[in-house]
Amino acid sequence: NAGVTQTPKFRILKIGQSMTLQCTQDMNHNYMYWYRQDPGMGLKLIYYSVGAGITDKGEVPNGYNVSRSTTEDFPLRLELAAPSQTSVYFCASSLPGQGPNTEAFFGQGTRLTVV
Amino acid sequence: LAKTTQPISMDSYEGQEVNITCSHNNIATNDYITWYQQFPSQGPRFIIQGYKTKVTNEVASLFIPADRKSSTLSLPRVSLSDTAVYYCLVGGTGGFKTIFGAGTRLFVKA
């Protein structure tokens, strides 16, 4: 039972380069989320998706793009990397609604450094 | 979305009980309260969830007063391995926006 899997675990990018952070889940969750976490800070929601083909902006979407072509996958795209995007990125998934069994499951994170 | 307020940090010693209180004055009638734990270099993980009164599992207890405007996460007999950041969320995690605040950094000392 893999849960939420993120790749890569670490990456160094040069300013202006682009990359895609991969996220896949095997729990058949409708909801998926991307967060970033700067050192010593809480998590900021970048984008979220309530199902295949449906995405929406979170708190800090600028500089990022997402797509959701399948229930399992929710990749995050950085088009023109900037030093301000140096952070740890977490992907998560959950069932919809509130109450029992709707908790979010997180991946292990991708540590990104832009130089 | 209900806004939450937690202490920024707390210190404790091994073997003590730790209580972390979260304020959520504008909680909605159908909102649940959920707590997560995050260790360094890891993603958050679910600890406990409740709607009213008291919930207990093998890790923690959650106390929610009748007005539901606050909640208290109780960790019995903490150990060094309980050093982590604890987040309080209101509104469930399946909602349209699952917002984490800064959390409470708990330091457990020997």
Side-chain angles (χ1 to χ4, degrees):
Chain A
N1 189 5
V4 178
T5 303
Q6 293 183 234
T7 56
K9 288 186 170 52
F10 304 93
R11 183 72 186 269
I12 298 175
L13 277 182
K14 293 184 178 179
I15 295 172
Q17 287 186 321
S18 61
M19 77 164 293
T20 299
L21 282 68
Q22 302 291 346
C23 176
T24 187
Q25 52 94 7
D26 63 357
M27 296 172 282
N28 202 31
H29 285 167
N30 299 87
Y31 284 64
M32 295 189 73
Y33 315 81
W34 272 107
Y35 295 89
R36 61 174 287 172
Q37 186 172 38
D38 298 333
M41 307 296 286
L43 287 86
K44 296 281 188 183
L45 182 65
I46 304 172
Y47 271 94
Y48 66 96
S49 169
V50 301
I54 306 170
T55 62
D56 206 349
K57 297 177 181 177
E59 303 170 272
V60 289
N62 291 342
Y64 307 94
N65 280 301
V66 294
S67 60
R68 184 95 182 269
S69 57
T70 67
T71 299
E72 295 78 18
D73 301 308
F74 190 40
L76 177 71
R77 179 82 177 165
L78 282 72
E79 290 293 349
L80 292 169
S84 61
Q85 294 178 305
T86 293
S87 190
V88 180
Y89 292 82
F90 290 103
C91 178
S93 72
S94 74
L95 290 173
Q98 296 197 51
N101 302 314
T102 62
E103 69 267 23
F105 292 81
F106 283 79
Q108 286 301 300
T110 296
R111 186 174 298 273
L112 175 67
T113 302
V114 181
V115 297
Chain B
L1 293 173
K3 178 179 169 57
T4 61
T5 302
Q6 304 174 233
I8 293 174
S9 66
M10 296 180 68
D11 290 343
S12 182
Y13 289 92
E14 283 189 295
Q16 288 187 332
E17 178 183 76
V18 171
N19 296 308
I20 305 174
T21 297
C22 178
S23 297
H24 29 79
N25 291 321
N26 60 340
I27 187 170
T29 302
N30 61 342
D31 283 344
Y32 277 73
I33 300 154
T34 310
W35 285 80
Y36 288 81
Q37 175 189 57
Q38 185 182 25
F39 297 117
S41 301
Q42 295 186 24
R45 68 171 188 171
F46 170 83
I47 303 177
I48 196 166
Q49 183 182 73
Y51 182 79
K52 62 179 179 181
T53 62
K54 177 184 174 182
V55 179
T56 298
N57 62 21
E58 66 277 6
V59 177
S61 294
L62 180 60
F63 299 91
I64 305 168
D67 66 5
R68 302 198 333 118
K69 293 184 183 299
S70 67
S71 58
T72 298
L73 174 72
S74 181
L75 304 172
R77 297 181 299 279
V78 294
S79 64
L80 295 176
S81 62
D82 290 315
T83 293
V85 179
Y86 293 83
Y87 296 96
C88 165
L89 272 73
V90 172
T93 53
F96 287 97
K97 293 190 178 184
T98 304
I99 305 295
F100 284 74
T104 298
R105 294 182 175 275
L106 173 65
F107 295 96
V108 180
K109 306 173 186 176

